[in-house]
Structures are given as C-alpha cells and as structure tokens.
Amino acid sequence: MFRRPAFSTSVGCIVLAMLALVGLELIAAQYLQLVLGLSPLETGLRLLPLTFAAMAAGLAGRGCCGGSGRGGWCAPASASPPGRWCC
C-alpha cells in the first residue's frame, strides 16, 4: 500500500496533523499547570473544548469529503476561497 504515492502522502499528512494536535495539547496542558498553577482536573476541563472541536472537525471532514471520490476534493479546495471548501 505504501508504494502508492497518494496513499503514502495522505498517511504522512494524517500523521503530521495528529502530531501537531497532540503537541498543542501537551504544550497547553503544561502551560496551564506550570505557568497558571491550575490543578490537573482544572486543566483537563479547560482542554475539553479543544478535544470536542477536534472530534467535530474530524466528523465534518469525513462528511465533507465522503462523496467526492479520488482526488476530487483537494484541487477545488486549494483553488476556492476559505469557507467554500466543502461545497
């Protein structure tokens, strides 16, 4: 499967996106606890909106790109103005 460039590129992009999200949550948790002095429970509660937003974006992206077929979403998305990517 990894011999196909499209598959390898998409998996690489997903891995980079997940690493960025996990890194953001780690830095935010460290900041909230070490700099602001919040407890672990308070930190977790303050990071819940970020977690829910990531889950909602994943579901919206799946629904947005589900019927476009192979390569049908990337080209129009890069050429269209922001906010019109899913149409």
Side-chain angles (χ1 to χ4, degrees):
M1 286 196 296
F2 285 98
R3 290 183 185 155
R4 293 178 41 204
F7 180 78
S8 299
T9 303
S10 63
V11 169
C13 289
I14 290 170
V15 167
L16 287 176
M18 288 294 104
L19 286 174
L21 182 61
V22 170
L24 172 69
E25 288 183 356
L26 177 66
I27 296 293
Q30 293 292 310
Y31 175 77
L32 291 172
Q33 288 184 8
L34 299 176
V35 176
L36 298 182
L38 298 178
S39 71
L41 177 62
E42 291 172 322
T43 299
L45 291 175
R46 290 199 183 193
L47 289 178
L48 275 178
L50 177 64
T51 304
F52 289 135
M55 291 187 323
L59 292 173
R62 182 183 137 241
C64 179
C65 304
S68 62
R70 181 177 162 211
W73 187 80
C74 294
S78 63
S80 64
R84 299 283 301 162
W85 290 5
C86 294
C87 298

